[in-house]
PDB file of all heavy atoms in Angstrom:
ATOM      1  N   SER A 798     143.895 -18.707 -76.603  1.00 98.00           N
ATOM      2  CA  SER A 798     144.768 -18.595 -75.464  1.00 98.00           C
ATOM      3  C   SER A 798     144.290 -19.530 -74.363  1.00 98.00           C
ATOM      4  O   SER A 798     143.059 -19.605 -74.148  1.00 98.00           O
ATOM      5  CB  SER A 798     144.839 -17.170 -74.975  1.00 98.00           C
ATOM      6  OG  SER A 798     145.632 -17.047 -73.789  1.00 98.00           O
ATOM      7  N   ASP A 799     145.214 -20.180 -73.660  1.00 96.00           N
ATOM      8  CA  ASP A 799     144.752 -21.064 -72.570  1.00 96.00           C
ATOM      9  C   ASP A 799     144.475 -20.312 -71.267  1.00 96.00           C
ATOM     10  O   ASP A 799     144.000 -20.886 -70.332  1.00 96.00           O
ATOM     11  CB  ASP A 799     145.752 -22.203 -72.317  1.00 96.00           C
ATOM     12  CG  ASP A 799     147.196 -21.712 -72.219  1.00 96.00           C
ATOM     13  OD1 ASP A 799     147.751 -21.312 -73.255  1.00 96.00           O
ATOM     14  OD2 ASP A 799     147.747 -21.800 -71.114  1.00 96.00           O
ATOM     15  N   MET A 800     144.786 -18.981 -71.244  1.00 97.00           N
ATOM     16  CA  MET A 800     144.454 -18.182 -70.118  1.00 97.00           C
ATOM     17  C   MET A 800     143.966 -16.789 -70.552  1.00 97.00           C
ATOM     18  O   MET A 800     144.402 -16.283 -71.587  1.00 97.00           O
ATOM     19  CB  MET A 800     145.677 -17.978 -69.199  1.00 97.00           C
ATOM     20  CG  MET A 800     146.260 -19.259 -68.620  1.00 97.00           C
ATOM     21  SD  MET A 800     147.398 -18.947 -67.258  1.00 97.00           S
ATOM     22  CE  MET A 800     146.237 -18.625 -65.961  1.00 97.00           C
ATOM     23  N   PRO A 801     143.024 -16.197 -69.786  1.00 97.00           N
ATOM     24  CA  PRO A 801     142.541 -14.854 -70.147  1.00 97.00           C
ATOM     25  C   PRO A 801     143.591 -13.783 -69.839  1.00 97.00           C
ATOM     26  O   PRO A 801     144.559 -13.987 -69.105  1.00 97.00           O
ATOM     27  CB  PRO A 801     141.314 -14.693 -69.236  1.00 97.00           C
ATOM     28  CG  PRO A 801     141.558 -15.586 -68.083  1.00 97.00           C
ATOM     29  CD  PRO A 801     142.311 -16.742 -68.621  1.00 97.00           C
ATOM     30  N   ILE A 802     143.351 -12.580 -70.439  1.00 98.00           N
ATOM     31  CA  ILE A 802     144.350 -11.489 -70.318  1.00 98.00           C
ATOM     32  C   ILE A 802     144.153 -10.690 -69.056  1.00 98.00           C
ATOM     33  O   ILE A 802     145.099 -10.475 -68.292  1.00 98.00           O
ATOM     34  CB  ILE A 802     144.257 -10.591 -71.565  1.00 98.00           C
ATOM     35  CG1 ILE A 802     144.688 -11.349 -72.811  1.00 98.00           C
ATOM     36  CG2 ILE A 802     145.109  -9.339 -71.401  1.00 98.00           C
ATOM     37  CD1 ILE A 802     144.451 -10.598 -74.118  1.00 98.00           C
ATOM     38  N   GLY A 803     142.960 -10.193 -68.833  1.00 96.00           N
ATOM     39  CA  GLY A 803     142.710  -9.211 -67.787  1.00 96.00           C
ATOM     40  C   GLY A 803     142.145  -9.707 -66.504  1.00 96.00           C
ATOM     41  O   GLY A 803     141.961  -8.987 -65.565  1.00 96.00           O
ATOM     42  N   MET A 804     141.849 -11.020 -66.411  1.00 96.00           N
ATOM     43  CA  MET A 804     141.341 -11.632 -65.174  1.00 96.00           C
ATOM     44  C   MET A 804     142.527 -11.990 -64.276  1.00 96.00           C
ATOM     45  O   MET A 804     143.523 -12.515 -64.762  1.00 96.00           O
ATOM     46  CB  MET A 804     140.537 -12.895 -65.474  1.00 96.00           C
ATOM     47  CG  MET A 804     139.183 -12.681 -66.122  1.00 96.00           C
ATOM     48  SD  MET A 804     138.526 -14.266 -66.572  1.00 96.00           S
ATOM     49  CE  MET A 804     136.761 -13.856 -66.635  1.00 96.00           C
ATOM     50  N   ILE A 805     142.418 -11.687 -63.015  1.00 96.00           N
ATOM     51  CA  ILE A 805     143.505 -12.037 -62.084  1.00 96.00           C
ATOM     52  C   ILE A 805     143.329 -13.476 -61.629  1.00 96.00           C
ATOM     53  O   ILE A 805     142.278 -13.887 -61.141  1.00 96.00           O
ATOM     54  CB  ILE A 805     143.449 -11.082 -60.875  1.00 96.00           C
ATOM     55  CG1 ILE A 805     143.789  -9.650 -61.319  1.00 96.00           C
ATOM     56  CG2 ILE A 805     144.438 -11.529 -59.820  1.00 96.00           C
ATOM     57  CD1 ILE A 805     143.702  -8.628 -60.242  1.00 96.00           C
ATOM     58  N   VAL A 806     144.367 -14.270 -61.840  1.00 95.00           N
ATOM     59  CA  VAL A 806     144.436 -15.653 -61.383  1.00 95.00           C
ATOM     60  C   VAL A 806     145.644 -15.808 -60.496  1.00 95.00           C
ATOM     61  O   VAL A 806     146.779 -15.671 -60.940  1.00 95.00           O
ATOM     62  CB  VAL A 806     144.520 -16.682 -62.584  1.00 95.00           C
ATOM     63  CG1 VAL A 806     144.480 -18.096 -62.105  1.00 95.00           C
ATOM     64  CG2 VAL A 806     143.403 -16.374 -63.598  1.00 95.00           C
ATOM     65  N   ARG A 807     145.407 -16.055 -59.226  1.00 94.00           N
ATOM     66  CA  ARG A 807     146.459 -16.086 -58.218  1.00 94.00           C
ATOM     67  C   ARG A 807     147.049 -17.470 -58.024  1.00 94.00           C
ATOM     68  O   ARG A 807     146.377 -18.467 -58.319  1.00 94.00           O
ATOM     69  CB  ARG A 807     145.935 -15.539 -56.907  1.00 94.00           C
ATOM     70  CG  ARG A 807     145.409 -14.121 -56.950  1.00 94.00           C
ATOM     71  CD  ARG A 807     144.964 -13.597 -55.617  1.00 94.00           C
ATOM     72  NE  ARG A 807     144.399 -12.268 -55.709  1.00 94.00           N
ATOM     73  CZ  ARG A 807     145.094 -11.139 -55.696  1.00 94.00           C
ATOM     74  NH1 ARG A 807     146.452 -11.249 -55.520  1.00 94.00           N
ATOM     75  NH2 ARG A 807     144.560  -9.993 -55.790  1.00 94.00           N
ATOM     76  N   ASP A 808     148.294 -17.484 -57.593  1.00 95.00           N
ATOM     77  CA  ASP A 808     148.930 -18.688 -57.157  1.00 95.00           C
ATOM     78  C   ASP A 808     149.444 -18.470 -55.745  1.00 95.00           C
ATOM     79  O   ASP A 808     150.540 -17.994 -55.516  1.00 95.00           O
ATOM     80  CB  ASP A 808     150.117 -19.080 -58.101  1.00 95.00           C
ATOM     81  CG  ASP A 808     150.788 -20.373 -57.743  1.00 95.00           C
ATOM     82  OD1 ASP A 808     150.207 -21.144 -56.981  1.00 95.00           O
ATOM     83  OD2 ASP A 808     151.913 -20.588 -58.189  1.00 95.00           O
ATOM     84  N   GLY A 809     148.571 -18.831 -54.789  1.00 93.00           N
ATOM     85  CA  GLY A 809     148.859 -18.514 -53.389  1.00 93.00           C
ATOM     86  C   GLY A 809     148.534 -17.068 -53.068  1.00 93.00           C
ATOM     87  O   GLY A 809     147.791 -16.399 -53.783  1.00 93.00           O
ATOM     88  N   ASP A 810     149.080 -16.579 -51.978  1.00 92.00           N
ATOM     89  CA  ASP A 810     148.699 -15.258 -51.501  1.00 92.00           C
ATOM     90  C   ASP A 810     149.490 -14.105 -52.202  1.00 92.00           C
ATOM     91  O   ASP A 810     148.975 -12.997 -52.319  1.00 92.00           O
ATOM     92  CB  ASP A 810     148.975 -15.158 -49.971  1.00 92.00           C
ATOM     93  CG  ASP A 810     148.071 -16.079 -49.182  1.00 92.00           C
ATOM     94  OD1 ASP A 810     146.966 -16.333 -49.641  1.00 92.00           O
ATOM     95  OD2 ASP A 810     148.503 -16.521 -48.104  1.00 92.00           O
ATOM     96  N   GLU A 811     150.712 -14.395 -52.674  1.00 95.00           N
ATOM     97  CA  GLU A 811     151.547 -13.325 -53.203  1.00 95.00           C
ATOM     98  C   GLU A 811     151.863 -13.463 -54.676  1.00 95.00           C
ATOM     99  O   GLU A 811     152.146 -12.453 -55.334  1.00 95.00           O
ATOM    100  CB  GLU A 811     152.853 -13.298 -52.419  1.00 95.00           C
ATOM    101  CG  GLU A 811     152.708 -13.005 -50.960  1.00 95.00           C
ATOM    102  CD  GLU A 811     154.061 -12.957 -50.267  1.00 95.00           C
ATOM    103  OE1 GLU A 811     155.097 -13.230 -50.910  1.00 95.00           O
ATOM    104  OE2 GLU A 811     154.091 -12.687 -49.021  1.00 95.00           O
ATOM    105  N   ASN A 812     151.762 -14.648 -55.233  1.00 96.00           N
ATOM    106  CA  ASN A 812     152.174 -14.850 -56.621  1.00 96.00           C
ATOM    107  C   ASN A 812     150.993 -14.890 -57.533  1.00 96.00           C
ATOM    108  O   ASN A 812     149.821 -15.087 -57.137  1.00 96.00           O
ATOM    109  CB  ASN A 812     152.965 -16.151 -56.748  1.00 96.00           C
ATOM    110  CG  ASN A 812     154.268 -16.125 -55.963  1.00 96.00           C
ATOM    111  OD1 ASN A 812     154.814 -15.014 -55.690  1.00 96.00           O
ATOM    112  ND2 ASN A 812     154.713 -17.263 -55.562  1.00 96.00           N
ATOM    113  N   PHE A 813     151.256 -14.737 -58.830  1.00 96.00           N
ATOM    114  CA  PHE A 813     150.221 -14.713 -59.830  1.00 96.00           C
ATOM    115  C   PHE A 813     150.490 -15.796 -60.894  1.00 96.00           C
ATOM    116  O   PHE A 813     151.650 -16.170 -61.168  1.00 96.00           O
ATOM    117  CB  PHE A 813     150.136 -13.362 -60.529  1.00 96.00           C
ATOM    118  CG  PHE A 813     149.639 -12.265 -59.611  1.00 96.00           C
ATOM    119  CD1 PHE A 813     150.566 -11.540 -58.859  1.00 96.00           C
ATOM    120  CD2 PHE A 813     148.301 -11.990 -59.482  1.00 96.00           C
ATOM    121  CE1 PHE A 813     150.143 -10.533 -57.998  1.00 96.00           C
ATOM    122  CE2 PHE A 813     147.873 -10.981 -58.618  1.00 96.00           C
ATOM    123  CZ  PHE A 813     148.790 -10.257 -57.854  1.00 96.00           C
ATOM    124  N   GLU A 814     149.407 -16.314 -61.488  1.00 94.00           N
ATOM    125  CA  GLU A 814     149.492 -17.467 -62.364  1.00 94.00           C
ATOM    126  C   GLU A 814     149.429 -17.102 -63.819  1.00 94.00           C
ATOM    127  O   GLU A 814     149.983 -17.823 -64.675  1.00 94.00           O
ATOM    128  CB  GLU A 814     148.313 -18.385 -62.001  1.00 94.00           C
ATOM    129  CG  GLU A 814     148.674 -19.837 -61.989  1.00 94.00           C
ATOM    130  CD  GLU A 814     147.996 -20.554 -63.143  1.00 94.00           C
ATOM    131  OE1 GLU A 814     146.807 -20.359 -63.364  1.00 94.00           O
ATOM    132  OE2 GLU A 814     148.705 -21.318 -63.820  1.00 94.00           O
ATOM    133  N   ASN A 815     148.738 -16.023 -64.141  1.00 94.00           N
ATOM    134  CA  ASN A 815     148.716 -15.597 -65.568  1.00 94.00           C
ATOM    135  C   ASN A 815     149.436 -14.249 -65.687  1.00 94.00           C
ATOM    136  O   ASN A 815     150.339 -13.948 -64.894  1.00 94.00           O
ATOM    137  CB  ASN A 815     147.280 -15.580 -66.107  1.00 94.00           C
ATOM    138  CG  ASN A 815     146.414 -14.486 -65.446  1.00 94.00           C
ATOM    139  OD1 ASN A 815     146.727 -14.053 -64.371  1.00 94.00           O
ATOM    140  ND2 ASN A 815     145.344 -14.145 -66.102  1.00 94.00           N
ATOM    141  N   GLY A 816     149.059 -13.431 -66.679  1.00 94.00           N
ATOM    142  CA  GLY A 816     149.709 -12.161 -66.851  1.00 94.00           C
ATOM    143  C   GLY A 816     149.246 -11.104 -65.911  1.00 94.00           C
ATOM    144  O   GLY A 816     150.036 -10.304 -65.369  1.00 94.00           O
ATOM    145  N   ALA A 817     147.940 -11.071 -65.616  1.00 96.00           N
ATOM    146  CA  ALA A 817     147.371 -10.003 -64.800  1.00 96.00           C
ATOM    147  C   ALA A 817     147.911 -10.076 -63.401  1.00 96.00           C
ATOM    148  O   ALA A 817     147.996 -11.150 -62.796  1.00 96.00           O
ATOM    149  CB  ALA A 817     145.843 -10.148 -64.782  1.00 96.00           C
ATOM    150  N   ASN A 818     148.251  -8.882 -62.868  1.00 94.00           N
ATOM    151  CA  ASN A 818     148.901  -8.795 -61.505  1.00 94.00           C
ATOM    152  C   ASN A 818     148.322  -7.676 -60.665  1.00 94.00           C
ATOM    153  O   ASN A 818     148.942  -7.283 -59.711  1.00 94.00           O
ATOM    154  CB  ASN A 818     150.406  -8.633 -61.720  1.00 94.00           C
ATOM    155  CG  ASN A 818     150.786  -7.464 -62.539  1.00 94.00           C
ATOM    156  OD1 ASN A 818     149.900  -6.634 -62.849  1.00 94.00           O
ATOM    157  ND2 ASN A 818     152.049  -7.353 -62.936  1.00 94.00           N
ATOM    158  N   GLY A 819     147.198  -7.129 -61.050  1.00 92.00           N
ATOM    159  CA  GLY A 819     146.635  -6.006 -60.338  1.00 92.00           C
ATOM    160  C   GLY A 819     146.798  -4.719 -61.120  1.00 92.00           C
ATOM    161  O   GLY A 819     147.555  -4.676 -62.131  1.00 92.00           O
ATOM    162  N   ASP A 820     146.047  -3.710 -60.777  1.00 93.00           N
ATOM    163  CA  ASP A 820     146.059  -2.479 -61.579  1.00 93.00           C
ATOM    164  C   ASP A 820     147.446  -1.822 -61.657  1.00 93.00           C
ATOM    165  O   ASP A 820     148.248  -1.910 -60.737  1.00 93.00           O
ATOM    166  CB  ASP A 820     145.105  -1.450 -60.901  1.00 93.00           C
ATOM    167  CG  ASP A 820     143.636  -1.888 -60.983  1.00 93.00           C
ATOM    168  OD1 ASP A 820     143.354  -2.822 -61.771  1.00 93.00           O
ATOM    169  OD2 ASP A 820     142.802  -1.265 -60.292  1.00 93.00           O
ATOM    170  N   GLY A 821     147.677  -1.203 -62.826  1.00 94.00           N
ATOM    171  CA  GLY A 821     148.929  -0.518 -63.000  1.00 94.00           C
ATOM    172  C   GLY A 821     149.502  -0.743 -64.372  1.00 94.00           C
ATOM    173  O   GLY A 821     148.883  -1.307 -65.235  1.00 94.00           O
ATOM    174  N   PRO A 822     150.789  -0.318 -64.564  1.00 96.00           N
ATOM    175  CA  PRO A 822     151.426  -0.471 -65.860  1.00 96.00           C
ATOM    176  C   PRO A 822     151.726  -1.894 -66.149  1.00 96.00           C
ATOM    177  O   PRO A 822     151.617  -2.786 -65.296  1.00 96.00           O
ATOM    178  CB  PRO A 822     152.717   0.375 -65.720  1.00 96.00           C
ATOM    179  CG  PRO A 822     152.980   0.318 -64.251  1.00 96.00           C
ATOM    180  CD  PRO A 822     151.664   0.342 -63.546  1.00 96.00           C
ATOM    181  N   ALA A 823     152.184  -2.140 -67.410  1.00 97.00           N
ATOM    182  CA  ALA A 823     152.547  -3.507 -67.834  1.00 97.00           C
ATOM    183  C   ALA A 823     153.852  -3.928 -67.178  1.00 97.00           C
ATOM    184  O   ALA A 823     154.922  -3.349 -67.468  1.00 97.00           O
ATOM    185  CB  ALA A 823     152.642  -3.590 -69.348  1.00 97.00           C
ATOM    186  N   LEU A 824     153.776  -4.934 -66.275  1.00 97.00           N
ATOM    187  CA  LEU A 824     154.939  -5.421 -65.581  1.00 97.00           C
ATOM    188  C   LEU A 824     154.971  -6.933 -65.711  1.00 97.00           C
ATOM    189  O   LEU A 824     153.978  -7.601 -66.012  1.00 97.00           O
ATOM    190  CB  LEU A 824     154.906  -5.032 -64.080  1.00 97.00           C
ATOM    191  CG  LEU A 824     154.919  -3.550 -63.755  1.00 97.00           C
ATOM    192  CD1 LEU A 824     154.667  -3.350 -62.233  1.00 97.00           C
ATOM    193  CD2 LEU A 824     156.227  -2.935 -64.186  1.00 97.00           C
ATOM    194  N   GLY A 825     156.152  -7.533 -65.472  1.00 97.00           N
ATOM    195  CA  GLY A 825     156.230  -8.970 -65.465  1.00 97.00           C
ATOM    196  C   GLY A 825     155.778  -9.584 -66.760  1.00 97.00           C
ATOM    197  O   GLY A 825     156.149  -9.141 -67.851  1.00 97.00           O
ATOM    198  N   ARG A 826     154.972 -10.632 -66.636  1.00 97.00           N
ATOM    199  CA  ARG A 826     154.463 -11.313 -67.813  1.00 97.00           C
ATOM    200  C   ARG A 826     153.526 -10.445 -68.684  1.00 97.00           C
ATOM    201  O   ARG A 826     153.366 -10.736 -69.867  1.00 97.00           O
ATOM    202  CB  ARG A 826     153.707 -12.560 -67.363  1.00 97.00           C
ATOM    203  CG  ARG A 826     154.559 -13.642 -66.706  1.00 97.00           C
ATOM    204  CD  ARG A 826     153.739 -14.743 -66.155  1.00 97.00           C
ATOM    205  NE  ARG A 826     154.592 -15.794 -65.540  1.00 97.00           N
ATOM    206  CZ  ARG A 826     154.123 -16.679 -64.677  1.00 97.00           C
ATOM    207  NH1 ARG A 826     152.872 -16.640 -64.286  1.00 97.00           N
ATOM    208  NH2 ARG A 826     154.957 -17.597 -64.182  1.00 97.00           N
ATOM    209  N   GLU A 827     152.980  -9.434 -68.120  1.00 97.00           N
ATOM    210  CA  GLU A 827     152.111  -8.548 -68.927  1.00 97.00           C
ATOM    211  C   GLU A 827     152.866  -7.968 -70.101  1.00 97.00           C
ATOM    212  O   GLU A 827     152.238  -7.568 -71.122  1.00 97.00           O
ATOM    213  CB  GLU A 827     151.571  -7.402 -68.048  1.00 97.00           C
ATOM    214  CG  GLU A 827     150.527  -7.885 -67.020  1.00 97.00           C
ATOM    215  CD  GLU A 827     150.036  -6.696 -66.197  1.00 97.00           C
ATOM    216  OE1 GLU A 827     150.871  -5.886 -65.772  1.00 97.00           O
ATOM    217  OE2 GLU A 827     148.817  -6.631 -65.963  1.00 97.00           O
ATOM    218  N   GLN A 828     154.195  -7.870 -69.990  1.00 98.00           N
ATOM    219  CA  GLN A 828     154.924  -7.218 -71.066  1.00 98.00           C
ATOM    220  C   GLN A 828     154.897  -8.067 -72.357  1.00 98.00           C
ATOM    221  O   GLN A 828     155.008  -7.510 -73.444  1.00 98.00           O
ATOM    222  CB  GLN A 828     156.350  -6.935 -70.594  1.00 98.00           C
ATOM    223  CG  GLN A 828     156.416  -5.847 -69.533  1.00 98.00           C
ATOM    224  CD  GLN A 828     157.800  -5.296 -69.332  1.00 98.00           C
ATOM    225  OE1 GLN A 828     158.692  -5.499 -70.103  1.00 98.00           O
ATOM    226  NE2 GLN A 828     157.976  -4.595 -68.189  1.00 98.00           N
ATOM    227  N   ASP A 829     154.783  -9.352 -72.242  1.00 98.00           N
ATOM    228  CA  ASP A 829     154.606 -10.189 -73.431  1.00 98.00           C
ATOM    229  C   ASP A 829     153.265  -9.873 -74.151  1.00 98.00           C
ATOM    230  O   ASP A 829     153.231  -9.754 -75.378  1.00 98.00           O
ATOM    231  CB  ASP A 829     154.645 -11.676 -73.091  1.00 98.00           C
ATOM    232  CG  ASP A 829     156.077 -12.198 -73.000  1.00 98.00           C
ATOM    233  OD1 ASP A 829     157.032 -11.390 -73.088  1.00 98.00           O
ATOM    234  OD2 ASP A 829     156.266 -13.444 -72.829  1.00 98.00           O
ATOM    235  N   ILE A 830     152.219  -9.723 -73.312  1.00 98.00           N
ATOM    236  CA  ILE A 830     150.925  -9.373 -73.907  1.00 98.00           C
ATOM    237  C   ILE A 830     151.013  -7.982 -74.533  1.00 98.00           C
ATOM    238  O   ILE A 830     150.446  -7.754 -75.627  1.00 98.00           O
ATOM    239  CB  ILE A 830     149.813  -9.443 -72.808  1.00 98.00           C
ATOM    240  CG1 ILE A 830     149.766 -10.840 -72.194  1.00 98.00           C
ATOM    241  CG2 ILE A 830     148.484  -9.094 -73.381  1.00 98.00           C
ATOM    242  CD1 ILE A 830     149.543 -11.996 -73.132  1.00 98.00           C
ATOM    243  N   ALA A 831     151.601  -7.035 -73.821  1.00 98.00           N
ATOM    244  CA  ALA A 831     151.731  -5.690 -74.354  1.00 98.00           C
ATOM    245  C   ALA A 831     152.476  -5.706 -75.692  1.00 98.00           C
ATOM    246  O   ALA A 831     152.115  -4.967 -76.648  1.00 98.00           O
ATOM    247  CB  ALA A 831     152.439  -4.793 -73.347  1.00 98.00           C
TER     248      ALA A 831
END
């Protein structure tokens, strides 16, 4: 994989660059990993 699963990689202050988006259920791109 070109990006890790559980590490948070941000794009600016509000957006995220990979799947991880902070603690909680699988949302957004995390659902592909799930």
Side-chain angles (χ1 to χ4, degrees):
S798 176
D799 48 290
M800 300 195 77
I802 294 172
M804 289 173 158
I805 295 176
V806 184
R807 299 182 183 275
D808 182 17
D810 294 332
E811 297 181 358
N812 297 333
F813 293 89
E814 220 247 315
N815 65 340
N818 55 11
D820 292 347
L824 298 172
R826 292 173 179 160
E827 289 179 318
Q828 292 194 15
D829 276 7
I830 303 301

